[in-house]
Amino acid sequence: MKKPAGAPPQEVRLLGGQWKRSKLPVADRPGLRPTPSRVRETLFNWLGQDLTGWRGLDAFAGTGALGFEAASRGAREVVMVEQDPTLVVQLQTIRTRLKAEAVRVQRGDGLAALRAAAGQGLDVVFLDPPFDAVNLFEPALRAAREAVSAEGFVYLEAPRPWVEADLAPLGLSLHRHGRAGAVAFHLLHPALPGATG
């Protein structure tokens, strides 16, 4: 049976690293919108194919595509946070199947997890919140800024582009950005103290 146009895919594939081509199921859950393959490919071209030793946090993990992709490419530790209990079980199942020792799955609130990570000096934080949760973006970005190292990255997926004027008050600057359909995606750096856009 043909799936309706605009329906989310039923699975996504990891693109690189030790689990390249491994399939991740996509549950039929409200608001679940896996990062498109070409967006993930662009992101990991920006970050680099080899993330050996990196520590990351996937704050709104969903299918786990971003976090598992990072672990597949050698990240030492990836914490995946997800509120939906069905998705948490699915993430734990995938972790077991892949023997993804570097991945830790926890059920909880992504924003709370970001705030708890303040000062940890993470290498990367992935932010792909539900697009209808518009009030979540600014506090999540602010908390992510506090969780990454001075050289770290914050990845943001959003329904609209975020520009320097939006980001500067949050202590972040735009490193790279792109657009794919309804998705605006951004790679951000902590802004240098005293730097202005």
Side-chain angles (χ1 to χ4, degrees):
M1 191 171 114
K2 195 173 174 214
K3 62 185 178 137
Q10 289 162 324
E11 60 185 31
V12 293
R13 287 175 187 261
L14 296 179
L15 302 172
Q18 63 177 319
W19 305 314
K20 185 176 181 177
R21 290 189 283 280
S22 294
K23 296 174 184 176
L24 308 182
V26 177
D28 184 12
R29 307 297 289 169
L32 185 62
R33 183 190 31 72
T35 301
S37 293
R38 66 189 180 113
V39 173
R40 275 186 292 128
E41 188 169 11
T42 300
L43 169 62
F44 285 93
N45 284 338
W46 291 346
L47 289 174
Q49 301 298 321
D50 183 358
L51 305 187
T52 299
W54 284 39
R55 293 165 57 240
L57 172 64
D58 189 351
F60 306 94
T63 63
L66 293 169
F68 283 118
E69 193 77 59
S72 182
R73 294 164 190 259
R76 172 165 59 99
E77 178 186 53
V78 180
V79 177
M80 292 189 193
V81 183
E82 176 52 54
Q83 219 161 11
D84 184 317
T86 302
L87 295 177
V88 170
V89 170
Q90 185 171 285
L91 290 168
Q92 288 167 334
T93 301
I94 296 165
R95 179 190 180 277
T96 302
R97 175 169 54 88
L98 295 176
K99 299 182 175 63
E101 300 296 327
V103 171
R104 196 167 87 239
V105 177
Q106 65 184 54
R107 183 178 175 196
D109 176 68
L111 185 55
L114 285 163
R115 288 175 171 154
Q120 287 188 11
L122 299 174
D123 299 291
V124 63
V125 168
F126 299 109
L127 298 180
D128 184 8
F131 277 10
D132 58 0
V134 289
N135 295 331
L136 198 53
F137 284 84
E138 197 169 301
L141 284 164
R142 199 180 293 279
R145 165 66 185 87
E146 297 304 315
V148 295
S149 71
E151 297 81 36
F153 294 98
V154 176
Y155 171 73
L156 171 68
E157 237 171 85
R160 68 163 178 93
W162 283 64
V163 297
E164 291 289 1
D166 301 315
L167 297 164
L170 308 176
L172 291 162
S173 66
L174 197 56
H175 180 60
R176 304 294 269 287
H177 63 97
R179 184 116 207 187
V183 176
F185 56 100
H186 317 71
L187 193 59
L188 313 172
H189 263 319
L192 296 171
T196 56

